[in-house]
Amino acid sequence: MKALQKNFDEKRRSDFNGSNSPQWRGRFPYNEIISLLDVNRPFNLAESTSQDLTVGELLDLPGLENIRDVKLGYGKSAGTGALLEAIADACKVPVEQIITTQGTALGLFLLAFEVCRPGDEAVLVTPCFPPSRDSLLGAGVSVREIRLSFENGYRLNLDQIDANLSPKTKLVSMASPQNPSGIQTSRADIEKLLVLMEKKSPEALLFIDETYREATYGDDIVVDSFAGFASRIVTGASVSKALGAPGLRTGWLTVADPDLRSRLLIAKMNTVISGSVLDETLAAALLRNKDGVLASRSRLLAGALQELATWCEGEHQRIEWVRPGAGALCCLRLRSDAFDDAAVARFWNLLPDHDLQLASGTWFGESSRVFRLGFGYLPPARLGPALSALSLSLDAATP
C-alpha cells in the first residue's frame, strides 16, 4: 500500500509541476493542497476540520423527521428559507443580508468577480487557504499580498496593509481565525483597519472568512461574528470546519449592501443556479442544533490541543509552534538550528514511510520549514500515535 501511495504521489508531481510550469495552463493556479481530496494516510495530520459527521448523526438531529418529503427540484438562488433563517440567527443579521454558496471559497470568488474590474486590486492577508488567493487570481484580480510572520505570531500587520492600500483597492481579504495558523484578529484591529480603508480605499470592501470562528476549545467563549459590524464588511463561513460537514458543501455570505447582494445572486444564478435543496435542508437542521454539536467537539478539541502542546514542549529543541486561538489547526516550524535545508527536504520525503500526512507551508504562502498540523481530525486514540510517528520522522530526517 505504501508503494502504491508513493507511486501516486510521484505521478501527481510529474503531472502537475506547479502553476509556474509550462505544463500548467489553467486560469486558476495549481496547488498541491488538492492532494488532500485524494490521499488519506492513517496518520492524517493535514486535515483542518474536526472529525467528520456521519449521515446517521445528522439524521438523528431534530427537525429532519420529514426529510423523505423534500422535493429535489431547483432551490432558490439565495438559499432555502429555513437555512437563511438559521444563518441569520447565528450571525445576528437580517435574513435579507444572507446568500448561500457552495462553500466559502465560491463566495469569495463570486465577490471578487463582481466587485473588481480590470485594473482593480485586492489586498490579501497571507498565509492563507490556497483558494482564498487563487480564487482572486482566477477572477482576474491583481493581488497585493500582506505576508504575516511566524516570528510575530501571525498577528495582523496594519502598517503593511496601510502601505498597500490605494484608490485601486476594491477588496481586502482576510480570515479570522486564520487558516493555517488559527490566530484570531481582534475587533480593535478590525476597527483600525476600517479607518485605514476609509482614508485610502473608500470603495473597498473588507471580506472576513469566519469558517473556524465556532471551533473553540472547552469552555472558551465563541467570539461574535463580524457580520453586521460595519456596512463595508462581507463575512463568509460554512458548516465545513467547526461543524464537521464539508461534504454538504454549504456556506454563505453576509452582505449589508442590497445592491451588491442582488448582483451576487445574479452571479450565483449564472454559475451554479442554486444550492442543493437536500444539502441545504440538512445544513439548516445542523445549524439549528449546532450548540449541542459544537459542545462535544469543543471538548475533543481542547483535549487534542493540550496533547499537542505537551508534545510540542517535548520537541521544543526541534520544532517551534504558534498556539492557535481557535480552529482544529495550527502552524509548526522546523527549527533552523536543528534542520538544514537538506534535512527539511528529507523530512517531507520520509512522511509516507511513517504513514503521515501534513500540510506544507508552501501551499499557504509560507516556507517548507512550516507545516499546518490538524489536531482535530483523527480520533483521540490515534492522535498520540500520530505525534509519535511525527517524532520518528524528525529522527529519520536528521540522522
Side-chain angles (χ1 to χ4, degrees), residues 38-360:
D38 300 320
V39 181
N40 191 355
R41 297 189 185 119
F43 294 138
N44 188 343
L45 295 173
E47 279 293 349
S48 60
T49 68
S50 51
Q51 294 175 40
D52 294 333
L53 279 177
T54 66
V55 173
E57 289 173 315
L58 262 180
L59 293 179
D60 286 340
L61 296 176
L64 290 171
E65 295 80 10
N66 298 319
I67 188 69
R68 295 173 63 90
D69 298 329
V70 172
K71 293 184 177 180
L72 299 179
Y74 285 115
K76 295 181 178 180
S77 284
T80 61
L83 178 57
L84 294 177
E85 291 174 1
I87 296 168
D89 288 346
C91 296
K92 299 181 176 61
V93 296
V95 169
E96 293 74 21
Q97 294 186 12
I98 308 296
I99 176 173
T100 65
T101 61
Q102 277 70 9
T104 312
L106 176 64
L108 177 55
F109 172 78
L110 294 177
L111 182 66
F113 193 78
E114 182 55 43
V115 304
C116 297
R117 297 292 187 270
D120 291 341
E121 295 179 348
V123 171
L124 173 67
V125 177
T126 65
C128 66
F129 182 49
S132 296
R133 177 197 304 107
D134 298 344
S135 63
L136 298 176
L137 297 174
V141 182
S142 177
V143 177
R144 290 178 174 265
E145 291 192 26
I146 308 301
R147 299 180 182 273
L148 307 184
S149 71
F150 188 102
E151 289 78 11
N152 197 38
Y154 295 116
R155 289 188 292 274
L156 200 65
N157 188 326
L158 290 169
D159 290 339
Q160 192 178 357
I161 294 178
D162 186 32
N164 283 274
L165 291 173
S166 77
K168 292 182 178 181
T169 307
K170 296 301 187 293
L171 184 64
V172 177
S173 178
M174 59 177 290
S176 180
Q178 298 164 9
N179 179 359
S181 69
I183 297 302
Q184 295 172 300
T185 300
S186 69
R187 296 183 94 75
D189 276 349
I190 293 298
E191 289 177 343
K192 294 174 184 176
L193 175 55
L194 290 172
V195 171
L196 296 176
M197 291 172 62
E198 181 63 29
K199 290 180 178 178
K200 302 185 70 172
S201 308
E203 297 182 9
L205 295 173
L206 173 59
F207 174 74
I208 304 178
D209 182 343
E210 299 184 320
T211 302
Y212 293 95
R213 179 177 64 87
E214 295 183 307
T216 55
Y217 313 126
D219 296 326
D220 288 0
I221 296 174
V222 177
V223 301
D224 289 337
S225 170
F226 282 109
F229 185 65
S231 60
R232 73 165 65 220
I233 291 179
V234 174
T235 70
S238 73
V239 298
S240 295
K241 305 299 184 179
L243 290 166
L248 291 183
R249 304 311 310 134
T250 302
W252 57 86
L253 299 176
T254 68
V255 186
D257 181 352
D259 176 69
L260 176 59
R261 181 175 177 273
S262 296
R263 289 153 53 198
L264 290 170
L265 278 175
I266 297 301
K268 180 182 175 185
M269 170 65 192
N270 281 278
T271 50
V272 296
I273 301 179
S274 69
S276 158
V277 293
L278 180 58
D279 287 352
E280 292 196 349
T281 299
L282 293 171
L286 180 54
L287 285 172
R288 287 298 186 196
N289 295 277
K290 69 183 179 68
D291 289 346
V293 175
L294 290 171
S296 61
R297 286 167 175 268
S298 68
R299 290 191 293 270
L300 287 172
L301 286 181
L305 179 60
Q306 182 54 54
E307 186 169 0
L308 175 61
T310 300
W311 181 86
C312 288
E313 176 60 29
E315 290 285 3
H316 72 277
Q317 293 185 330
R318 299 197 290 187
I319 65 99
E320 307 165 279
W321 77 312
V322 176
R323 189 182 183 100
L329 73 175
C330 63
C331 282
L332 283 71
R333 184 168 69 178
L334 302 175
R335 293 179 60 101
S336 59
D337 55 354
F339 292 82
D340 59 20
D341 290 344
V344 171
R346 282 196 299 272
F347 170 76
W348 287 107
N349 289 331
L350 289 167
L351 291 183
D353 296 338
H354 297 274
D355 290 327
L356 269 167
Q357 203 165 345
L358 294 170
S360 172

